[in-house]
């Protein structure tokens, strides 16, 4: 029986799934990160590339596929807070709800770095419309590419986190219910990651053909801004993220990280 995978539809996930579409062990369905988490929780997929905050919020225990993630060691480029005037005095933020991890990260950073607790407004990822209803807007994923040259000032949340903590930040990783991931499935995911990292230029061209934009930017983004490893540093950063999220009341408890063996 094929393993049903919930896959993030953004460019930053493509290196993790490059060869999976041709692997009969897997059936892929694509959606935004928050929907991947909802699909896993509802049983519509067996394993999902879920926002890291959702691992801590699940009512059922999950197991993590070791060694693979969507993470950053500095500027991440596509998780940004745009603001109209003075960042220090913003009172409201429009949220792109595609990724719940980015929302939690933003709340932590605004609280700890700027002493802010604004009003939160859910909104579709349209920067101009978001800034009509709020002082600032959180925009994530592929919609950010078209706004990188915007005259609206912004901060990069990956860089803010690393400057604040000295640790990498983990946005998402593969997780499934206990028993869903076996050694064969993990091996398939590892092979896909290795193949993907060897074909970044091809993925960048395919994304530009489908969505428009700069092939060189997409390739540089995947090579220089996104980390695909879940190593010791990333795990340390993940644990700190959970600790800070618990302190702010965003999760009920700091979870134990359980990896598929």
């Amino acid at each position: 029986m094929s393993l049903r995978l919930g896959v993030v539809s953004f460019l930053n996930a493509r290196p993790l799934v490059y060869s999976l579409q041709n692997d009969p062990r897997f059936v892929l369905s694509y959606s935004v990160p928050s929907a991947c988490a909802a699909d896993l929780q509802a049983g519509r997929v067996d394993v999902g590339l879920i926002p890291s905050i959702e691992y801590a919020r699940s009512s059922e225990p999950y197991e993590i596929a070791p060694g693979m993630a969507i993470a950053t060691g500095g500027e991440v480029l596509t998780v940004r807070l745009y603001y109209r005037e003075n960042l220090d005095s913003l009172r409201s933020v429009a949220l792109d709800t595609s990724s719940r991890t980015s929302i939690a990260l933003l709340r932590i950073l605004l609280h700890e770095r700027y002493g802010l607790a604004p009003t939160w407004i859910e909104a579709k990822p349209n920067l101009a419309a978001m800034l009509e209803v709020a002082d600032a807007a959180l925009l994530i994923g592929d919609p950010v590419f078209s706004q990188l040259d915007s005259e609206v000032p912004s901060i990069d949340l990956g860089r803010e986190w690393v400057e604040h903590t000295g640790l990498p930040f983990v946005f998402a990783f593969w997780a499934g219910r206990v028993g869903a991931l076996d050694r064969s499935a993990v091996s398939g995911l590892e092979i896909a990651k290795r193949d993907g990292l060897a074909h970044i230029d091809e993925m960048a061209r395919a994304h530009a053909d489908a969505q428009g934009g700069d092939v060189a930017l997409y390739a540089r983004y995947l090579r220089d801004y996104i980390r695909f490893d879940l190593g010791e540093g990333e795990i340390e950063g993940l644990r700190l993220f959970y600790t800070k999220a618990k302190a702010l009341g965003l999760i009920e408890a700091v979870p134990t990280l359980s990896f598929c063996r």
Side-chain angles (χ1 to χ4, degrees):
M1 179 178 292
S2 298
L3 193 70
R4 299 171 299 167
L5 292 182
V7 182
V8 173
S9 55
F10 295 148
L11 175 62
N12 59 20
R14 294 307 165 93
L16 293 180
V17 299
Y18 175 76
S19 60
L20 292 182
Q21 297 175 95
N22 301 318
D23 190 326
R25 290 174 293 180
F26 303 99
V27 174
L28 280 58
S29 60
Y30 291 88
S31 56
V32 296
S34 57
C36 284
D39 287 344
L40 180 60
Q41 184 178 30
R44 291 186 288 268
V45 299
D46 303 307
V47 175
L49 191 55
I50 64 170
S52 56
I53 195 70
E54 294 305 307
Y55 178 83
R57 290 175 173 166
S58 174
S59 59
E60 296 186 49
Y62 290 153
E63 287 184 331
I64 303 168
M68 294 166 278
I70 296 175
T72 189
E75 188 174 6
V76 70
L77 201 65
T78 56
V79 182
R80 309 188 77 85
L81 180 71
Y82 290 86
Y83 54 97
R84 286 192 285 120
E85 296 178 1
N86 191 334
L87 180 62
D88 294 331
S89 61
L90 67 85
R91 295 164 297 175
S92 58
V93 178
L95 298 173
D96 175 355
T97 57
S98 298
S99 174
R100 297 161 184 167
T101 291
S102 298
I103 293 172
L105 174 60
L106 175 62
R107 293 185 65 170
I108 290 167
L109 291 172
L110 289 184
H111 173 73
E112 294 191 1
R113 300 208 82 183
Y114 299 95
L116 296 172
T119 300
W120 311 101
I121 303 169
E122 293 188 2
K124 294 181 179 180
N126 180 301
L127 182 58
M130 294 167 90
L131 291 177
E132 287 182 358
V133 299
D135 298 327
L138 173 66
L139 203 62
I140 72 158
D142 293 352
V144 177
F145 287 123
S146 64
Q147 301 297 333
L148 289 175
D149 294 328
S150 171
E151 295 181 358
V152 179
S154 66
I155 58 172
D156 183 293
L157 298 196
R159 181 170 56 196
E160 289 276 320
W161 169 266
V162 175
E163 289 179 354
H164 186 51
T165 67
L167 292 170
F169 189 81
V170 177
F171 288 95
F173 48 71
W174 290 116
R177 287 185 173 84
V178 176
L181 282 163
D182 58 18
R183 192 59 243 175
S184 174
V186 172
S187 176
L189 296 176
E190 291 171 340
I191 291 170
K193 170 190 166 184
R194 184 173 66 245
D195 289 348
L197 292 176
H199 291 84
I200 282 177
D201 289 336
E202 179 182 323
M203 284 179 281
R205 285 193 296 271
H207 191 75
D209 288 343
Q211 305 295 332
D214 185 351
V215 174
L217 169 64
Y218 297 147
R220 189 168 68 251
Y221 169 68
L222 293 175
R223 285 196 175 96
D224 298 341
Y225 293 93
I226 304 298
R227 290 186 181 181
F228 297 98
D229 298 325
L230 188 58
E232 292 183 4
E234 286 78 21
I235 290 172
E236 187 179 355
L238 184 59
R239 288 190 171 121
L240 181 60
F241 171 57
Y242 288 143
T243 298
K244 290 180 178 297
K246 168 64 169 60
L248 205 55
L250 303 179
I251 56 177
E252 293 184 359
V254 174
T256 299
L257 298 181
S258 177
F259 292 90
C260 172
R261 299 186 183 278

